[in-house]
Amino acid sequence: MTRTRRPLPGPRVLSASAALFVLAAAGCSAGGSQPSVAVPAPSPEAAGYCEALHGELPETVAGLERSDPSPESDLTAGWGDGAIVLRCGVPRPARMDDSQSKAVEADGVNWLLEQRDGGPRFTTTYRKAYVEVTLGPEYAHDVTPLSAFAAPVAKTVPDSL
């Protein structure tokens, strides 16, 4: 049995194919795309609360239109192309065990405050599912966006006490 070998495509064909692939990938992630956010993996009970919360979230927060991050999930939401991001069903932050941690209250919902370089992060306390809200640096000293989440969280995520 004689085998004939087919020549491999020349470097120009591979380069052109690779270039097309890179251009296609860049086109998929070009401006206008939503920021990517890690989707939490909560327990089934917490996921149920998060699904209910997702349906109650406002269309605008702090004057910013809703623009959910990718990948699409009932566990995440966003406003202002990533200026405000909500994730529901996140793990309990270790900082909740620190007696020096700071907390804020917004319209009856308590939040743990964690200052970060990219802006503050808030996580609900005393709830059956942890809801995290990350604000951009423009909100470094402004907790008013949390008020938009107070009623939906109170309505859909029960107290744990």
Side-chain angles (χ1 to χ4, degrees):
M1 174 182 240
T2 307
R3 289 187 172 193
T4 49
R5 292 187 175 194
R6 296 177 65 191
L8 294 173
R12 288 185 193 150
V13 173
L14 288 176
S15 295
S17 296
L20 285 174
F21 176 75
V22 170
L23 287 172
C28 291
S29 62
S33 65
Q34 300 306 324
S36 181
V37 172
V39 177
S43 69
E45 177 186 25
Y49 299 132
C50 294
E51 185 178 333
L53 173 63
H54 193 80
E56 296 291 327
L57 292 173
E59 286 302 312
T60 59
V61 174
L64 301 173
E65 294 293 319
R66 185 150 173 189
S67 56
D68 289 347
S70 63
E72 188 176 318
S73 171
D74 284 348
L75 303 173
T76 61
W79 294 264
D81 293 329
I84 300 173
V85 174
L86 179 143
R87 297 186 324 135
C88 185
V90 297
R92 182 181 190 275
R95 297 270 318 195
M96 284 192 184
D97 293 330
D98 183 355
S99 62
Q100 300 300 313
S101 292
K102 295 181 179 172
V104 297
E105 187 268 343
D107 296 337
V109 176
N110 294 309
W111 302 84
L112 168 73
L113 165 62
E114 296 176 275
Q115 290 290 355
R116 306 169 315 126
D117 290 340
R121 176 173 49 207
F122 298 90
T123 308
T124 56
T125 62
Y126 312 117
R127 298 275 164 188
K128 292 198 176 198
Y130 293 103
V131 179
E132 172 190 280
V133 174
T134 305
L135 303 177
E138 61 271 30
Y139 298 100
H141 303 287
D142 183 5
V143 299
T144 54
L146 294 179
S147 293
F149 304 114
V153 166
K155 180 178 181 180
T156 60
V157 184
D159 288 330
S160 64
L161 295 178

